[in-house]
Amino acid sequence: MSVERPVDLRSDTLTRPTEAMRAAMASAEVGDDVYGEDPTVARLEERVAVMFGHEAALFMPTGSMSNVLAVRSLVAPGQEVLCEASAHIARAELGAHGAYSGVTMRTWIHPRGQIDLDVVRSLYAPDMGPFFVRTAAISVENTHNFAGGAMLPLESLRELREFATGVGVRIHLDGARIWNAHVAAGTPLVEYGAVADVMSVCLSKGLGAPVGSLLVGSRDTVTEARVWRKRMGGGMRQVGILAAAGLYALDHHVDRLADDHAHARLLAEACGVDPALVDTNIVVVQRSDAASFVEAAAAQGVRVATVGPTVVRLVTHLDVTRGDAERAASVLATL
Ligand SMILES: Cc1ncc(COP(=O)(O)O)c(C=O)c1O
């Protein structure tokens, strides 16, 4: 009897490099990147900076480190960043922004991770000397992971930009999945770049690279972040091997994200979630029995994850084919 491979929908970080990506990695030209001598890293950084219309970019080991250094480039110790309450920087970076950078956070709540500009306005705190924490930055996440891969419309990003510029506050964009937003909304990447002072983008999620994120911003920001990256132990040597995977992913794995989005809508329907709520590759299912749902799905060859006591998350990605998505949908529909 043949045993079918489980369909793994726990995360889009689970992808394994394809043969073609491995070949690109194996033949990458490399040098010591701490010396600034890795030509493949330099090509990746230059390409990503241009894609977003910024001056420079810096290759990072993880999205978390990239977010930490991006936020610290905008917010001094003792100042605050405002963000949505379930933002990755607030919920899933283990307090790094406080632990390493002395940054405090205040949050607004939106079930779809959107920008509530009225609330942001009311949260904003100008410099009030020795009395209140000063708001130095606002961070937004596009797409928003824990809000089910929801996109932030360009219009609301532009309104936020206008408000932030007016009050002298800067904007960080956590674009771990900006590629999904770009493909789903058809918004040029450079338009997203234009609303942010600094961004973090990941190659290791939907794009299917094994490792890697980039901090994107001004030349000065990147020069300083390079020092901090080394200080935090993130100076990498012949890392062109990994940058080559990123370059390959940018060439071959962006447009295909539309398939992941279609697969996510298929899974949503099977789970009784309105597909109109699925903007990209993540489906959030509310289940009071989340843990037993996960177990029952696993018993039938479909791996899903809980991201809260009553929340199940399904994520489609490069290693989930149409056939896998259909198989998973038929299993989940019975649960
Ligand atoms: C929105 C978002 N930002 C940042 C990160 C952090 O990326 P990493 O796991 O590479 O640290 C993630 C990880 O899933 C994420 O979903």
Side-chain angles (χ1 to χ4, degrees):
M1 191 181 80
S2 78
V3 178
E4 281 185 299
R5 168 177 75 87
V7 182
D8 203 335
L9 301 169
R10 289 171 299 157
S11 173
D12 51 8
T13 58
L14 292 160
T15 53
R16 274 142 311 174
T18 61
E19 285 307 317
M21 183 181 276
R22 285 169 192 263
M25 295 168 75
S27 63
E29 218 188 317
V30 298
D32 188 329
D33 184 52
V34 174
Y35 283 67
E37 292 176 5
D38 190 304
T40 309
V41 172
R43 255 194 316 130
L44 175 68
E45 290 176 341
E46 169 70 20
R47 177 164 171 188
V48 171
V50 168
M51 280 176 129
F52 292 99
H54 280 253
E55 284 176 354
L58 183 66
F59 193 45
M60 292 284 193
T62 65
S64 298
M65 188 190 273
S66 186
N67 275 338
V68 167
L69 297 194
V71 169
R72 78 153 300 289
S73 77
L74 306 180
V75 187
Q79 297 181 342
E80 72 181 5
V81 57
L82 304 179
C83 63
E84 201 280 323
S86 60
H88 198 276
I89 66 163
R91 193 180 169 207
E93 288 168 15
L94 307 180
H97 300 267
Y100 295 129
S101 313
V103 166
T104 67
M105 286 182 188
R106 279 186 304 146
T107 59
W108 71 90
I109 295 178
H110 192 291
R112 298 273 297 156
Q114 302 294 303
I115 299 161
D116 188 333
L117 193 51
D118 288 337
V119 180
V120 173
R121 274 201 193 93
S122 69
L123 286 173
Y124 161 69
D127 187 355
M128 294 179 75
F131 293 102
F132 294 108
V133 176
R134 180 191 157 200
T135 307
I138 302 164
S139 178
V140 289
E141 186 173 311
N142 193 18
T143 65
H144 194 300
N145 181 346
F146 296 119
M151 297 186 293
L152 305 186
L154 185 60
E155 206 40 52
S156 75
L157 288 165
R158 285 182 171 156
E159 284 168 12
L160 182 73
R161 174 75 269 173
E162 199 180 325
F163 165 71
T165 303
V167 293
V169 160
R170 291 186 291 170
I171 294 181
H172 166 249
L173 171 55
D174 179 355
R177 294 182 182 78
I178 197 73
W179 326 100
N180 297 80
H182 159 67
V183 167
T187 300
L189 293 170
V190 77
E191 303 286 352
Y192 291 127
V195 298
D197 293 283
V198 64
M199 307 177 62
S200 169
V201 302
C202 293
L203 304 165
S204 58
K205 313 279 178 324
L207 294 192
V211 178
S213 296
L214 290 107
L215 181 154
V216 183
S218 71
R219 209 171 301 287
D220 286 350
T221 298
V222 165
T223 299
E224 201 193 343
R226 193 181 292 282
V227 174
W228 273 95
R229 183 186 65 174
K230 183 69 165 56
R231 185 171 285 138
M232 294 178 84
M236 301 176 286
R237 303 293 178 175
Q238 286 71 20
V239 75
I241 285 180
L242 297 178
L247 285 165
Y248 182 89
L250 291 175
D251 285 335
H252 299 280
H253 293 168
V254 176
D255 293 343
R256 64 150 306 284
L257 291 170
D259 297 342
D260 294 347
H261 302 167
H263 298 161
R265 286 192 293 275
L266 184 76
L267 293 168
E269 269 175 42
C271 295
V273 172
D274 180 357
L277 292 176
V278 178
D279 288 347
T280 58
N281 68 326
I282 302 178
V283 183
V284 167
V285 188
Q286 300 292 339
R287 293 285 299 212
S288 55
D289 59 345
S292 46
F293 180 87
V294 169
E295 246 176 68
Q300 297 191 61
V302 180
R303 302 188 76 181
V304 298
T306 53
V307 288
T310 60
V311 187
V312 175
R313 191 185 68 169
L314 325 176
V315 189
T316 55
H317 52 77
L318 186 61
D319 289 357
V320 176
T321 63
R322 181 80 193 175
D324 291 336
E326 284 169 357
R327 181 151 61 94
S330 67
V331 166
L332 296 173
T334 66
L335 304 177

